[in-house]
Amino acid sequence: MNAQKNGTPGAGRVLRRTTIAASAALAMLAGMASSPAQSQTIKIGVPVPLSGSSANAGTDILNGAKLAAAKVNAAGGVLGKQIELVPEDDACDAQTAVQAAQKLVDAGVVAVAGGYCSSAALPELTTFHRAGIPYVLDASTNPKLTEMGYDNVFRTIGRDDEQGPFAASFMKNSLHVKRAAVINDNTTYAKGLADNTVEALKKDGVDVVYDDAITPGQMDYSPTLTHVASLKPDVIYYTGYFSEAGLLVKEARQLGLKMTLMGGDGTNDPTLMKTAGPAANDMIITTAPLAQFLSGAHSFVDDYTKAYGQGPGPYSVYEYDAVGVTAKAIADAKSSTPAAITAALHKISKYPGATGTIGFNPKGDRSLAVYITIIVHGDSFAPYQKQDAAGHWMAMK
């Protein structure tokens, strides 16, 4: 009190101002330390189903991401930093997906590579678009994902409106079917693929005798199969996921159905054979090429098998490329800011991926998407047929 009287009445105010300024500086430094640009690593989000009926596929995708990150990091990382993967479980559920996407945004990811179910990827994309974060999809094939006008979405896989006509052409021109039944599970992916296939079948002059959905998670689909059988289709094409496909195939054969059984690329998981057993033999699946059938993916298959004690599932290699092309965009941009990464991704045209050369069209779709058919032989998939440059069907070697 005497000191204030002796000419230092502002000392307390100066001290408070100094304290406030110091606190503000510390806060700013803390913010810089936690920002993507100042982080000690470059964070890439991986939203996939790690729980629920599609967890096997999600784990496989995450494993592919880990191999890609390990390869980049072993070569010195990007911009002098290591890639850090941040996985989140979206459970193939729209509501869970929104929460998973927001967690990734809050974690400070600068890009995202992943996705499995389109029904989860759609709400995730909305969240990432709002945050300005690029999303490179490895398995989500619904056309709407790249038709929303967002500039931050990319795909290393094809679209349902490419697979649908491919499947229809195979049924019409290779199997020579006259009557087809198409079953979906009413999810975004399955309904989209079914609609595109049915439309193409009708254009090709094939009589679609059945086009309806089952309810996922049921224990008995024999009433639906019995009804479908009464319509005498030459082929049944199921566009849902492998968990239901295995049971459908098993029950179809138990009921004595003799027609060709087919599935879309949601059925191309080895779990199909574990569920269906011998009944899955000779089932034909339309799909993007599996890693074991890709000439540029031999080392990936070897690395995956060595790391995880089993061969890769269908989408791990497309996730491997999704992470790889994202790292390339970061290097090209010389920046780890999301906007710069997005701009660099749009400029990529000839990335040498394990799945082939990758480039993106203005919508973000893969410029050259390829589909093949595979067939179940015992407990594994074998290559079956593909189209040549003229559109003719030929056996794969």
Side-chain angles (χ1 to χ4, degrees):
M1 188 171 186
N2 287 336
Q4 289 177 352
K5 288 181 178 180
N6 290 328
T8 57
R13 289 193 296 272
V14 171
L15 179 59
R16 285 194 295 274
R17 285 197 299 269
T18 303
T19 302
I20 292 170
S23 298
L26 288 171
M28 182 179 70
L29 289 171
M32 291 174 61
S34 63
S35 69
Q38 297 299 319
S39 175
Q40 296 305 303
T41 60
I42 296 176
K43 295 182 179 180
I44 297 178
V46 184
V48 285
L50 298 175
S51 61
S53 60
S54 297
N56 187 65
T59 299
D60 179 64
I61 290 169
L62 180 56
N63 288 343
K66 290 177 180 178
L67 286 179
K71 180 179 179 181
V72 172
N73 289 339
V78 184
L79 307 181
K81 298 180 180 180
Q82 297 281 284
I83 294 292
E84 178 186 351
L85 299 179
V86 185
E88 279 294 341
D89 180 15
D90 65 21
C92 272
D93 173 76
Q95 184 174 352
T96 305
V98 171
Q99 298 169 354
Q102 190 58 53
K103 287 180 181 178
L104 291 175
V105 173
D106 295 342
V109 301
V110 298
V112 179
Y116 180 63
C117 297
S118 293
S119 54
L122 280 164
E124 287 168 354
L125 175 58
T126 299
T127 298
F128 296 138
H129 177 70
R130 192 161 50 238
I133 296 172
Y135 191 3
V136 184
L137 299 156
D138 73 300
S140 301
T141 55
N142 187 269
K144 187 178 179 182
L145 284 156
T146 48
E147 293 289 344
M148 298 171 71
Y150 294 166
D151 68 347
N152 66 311
V153 59
F154 305 87
R155 240 192 287 243
T156 60
I157 198 81
R159 295 169 35 141
D160 295 335
D161 52 0
E162 295 170 320
Q163 184 180 182
F166 173 87
S169 175
F170 174 77
M171 291 182 230
K172 167 73 174 182
N173 301 311
S174 181
L175 297 183
H176 306 293
V177 306
K178 304 294 184 184
R179 298 164 64 84
V182 179
I183 304 175
N184 70 86
D185 66 5
N186 227 16
T187 60
T188 302
Y189 152 72
K191 184 68 165 59
L193 178 55
D195 289 347
N196 282 283
T197 303
V198 167
E199 180 182 2
L201 284 169
K202 290 179 177 178
K203 285 183 179 178
D204 287 345
V206 175
D207 185 12
V208 180
V209 299
Y210 186 87
D211 174 23
D212 208 345
I214 60 169
T215 301
Q218 292 185 348
M219 300 302 295
D220 182 12
Y221 295 109
S222 56
T224 297
L225 290 167
T226 299
H227 174 61
V228 171
S230 71
L231 302 175
K232 302 187 183 306
D234 302 309
V235 61
I236 296 176
Y237 185 51
Y238 178 63
T239 65
Y241 294 95
F242 59 85
S243 51
E244 281 73 36
L247 182 56
L248 279 166
V249 169
K250 185 176 182 178
E251 291 183 341
R253 295 313 188 203
Q254 288 175 341
L255 290 169
L257 276 60
K258 303 297 184 182
M259 71 284 290
T260 301
L261 300 179
M262 289 183 60
D265 56 353
T267 69
N268 60 8
D269 190 280
T271 307
L272 170 78
M273 288 84 87
K274 295 178 182 178
T275 303
N281 272 324
D282 298 327
M283 181 181 178
I284 300 170
I285 296 170
T286 60
T287 181
L290 305 186
Q292 58 264 41
F293 307 143
L294 288 163
S295 59
H298 294 323
S299 62
F300 168 80
V301 174
D302 291 342
D303 290 344
Y304 189 104
T305 303
K306 182 179 179 180
Y308 302 110
Q310 61 183 17
Y315 294 108
S316 55
V317 69
Y318 293 91
E319 173 69 2
Y320 179 84
D321 279 352
V323 173
V325 77
T326 301
K328 177 64 165 60
I330 295 170
D332 289 350
K334 296 182 175 59
S335 170
S336 59
T337 63
I341 299 168
T342 296
L345 282 166
H346 277 291
K347 294 177 182 178
I348 286 178
S349 60
K350 294 182 179 180
Y351 174 76
T355 60
T357 301
I358 295 175
F360 303 110
N361 67 21
K363 293 181 179 179
D365 286 308
R366 184 168 182 162
S367 300
L368 296 173
V370 177
Y371 283 97
I372 63 171
T373 60
I374 59 176
I375 190 168
V376 177
H377 281 168
D379 59 355
S380 63
F381 296 117
Y384 190 55
Q385 290 187 2
K386 64 178 182 179
Q387 287 179 297
D388 63 18
H392 301 130
W393 289 94
M394 58 184 293
M396 292 181 64
K397 298 180 181 179

